[in-house]
Amino acid sequence: IGPVRRLRVTLPLRILVAAPTDHSKQIDAAREIAAVREVLGTVGANYVETIPFTGPFSITDLREKLAEVKPAVLHFIGHGEPTGLWMWRRDREWLAPAASLRATLQRSPSVKLAFLNSC
């Protein structure tokens, strides 16, 4: 997305695990975040920091969180479609268009890898 980014990161590697509230209750975000933390915890806190971001958040909220946390990795856990990712807008689930995600990531220069764990 956009120009090539330098792959150099500082330790600890910051990973933002974003899991918007799942209205369908098909995804157990707390369990998945715990599993990510367990696996990454074996590396050690000096090397990896996992920051969870959960709740009914919008693409704008995600953009603001990325700017605040400045993670090297975005790990998204949620529902998706070829045209976008399901998030929230005005207290309702909303399909955030892929173009919005692209723009968000272009404005987040710290992100070197985006892992989208969604259908």
Side-chain angles (χ1 to χ4, degrees), residues 79-86 95-101 116 118-119:
H79 295 288
E81 297 188 15
T83 57
L85 298 173
W86 285 98
L95 186 66
S100 293
L101 178 62
L116 306 178
S118 58
C119 53

Side-chain angles (χ1 to χ4, degrees), residues 18-38:
T21 301
D22 175 19
H23 186 261
S24 72
K25 310 248 188 259
Q26 294 175 332
I27 298 172
D28 185 348
R31 183 182 58 78
E32 291 202 32
I33 291 169
V36 168
R37 282 186 148 165
E38 181 180 345

Side-chain angles (χ1 to χ4, degrees), residues 3-24:
V4 175
R5 298 179 185 186
R6 292 183 66 199
L7 294 180
R8 181 178 293 166
V9 296
T10 58
L11 297 178
L13 178 71
R14 300 186 83 164
I15 301 174
L16 179 67
V17 182
T21 301
D22 175 19
H23 186 261
S24 72

Side-chain angles (χ1 to χ4, degrees), residues 45-68:
N46 292 333
Y47 300 102
V48 178
E49 180 183 5
T50 306
I51 302 106
F53 181 47
T54 61
F57 61 82
S58 67
I59 190 75
T60 303
D61 298 328
L62 178 60
R63 182 180 310 131
E64 290 170 0
K65 192 69 171 181
L66 288 167
E68 172 193 330

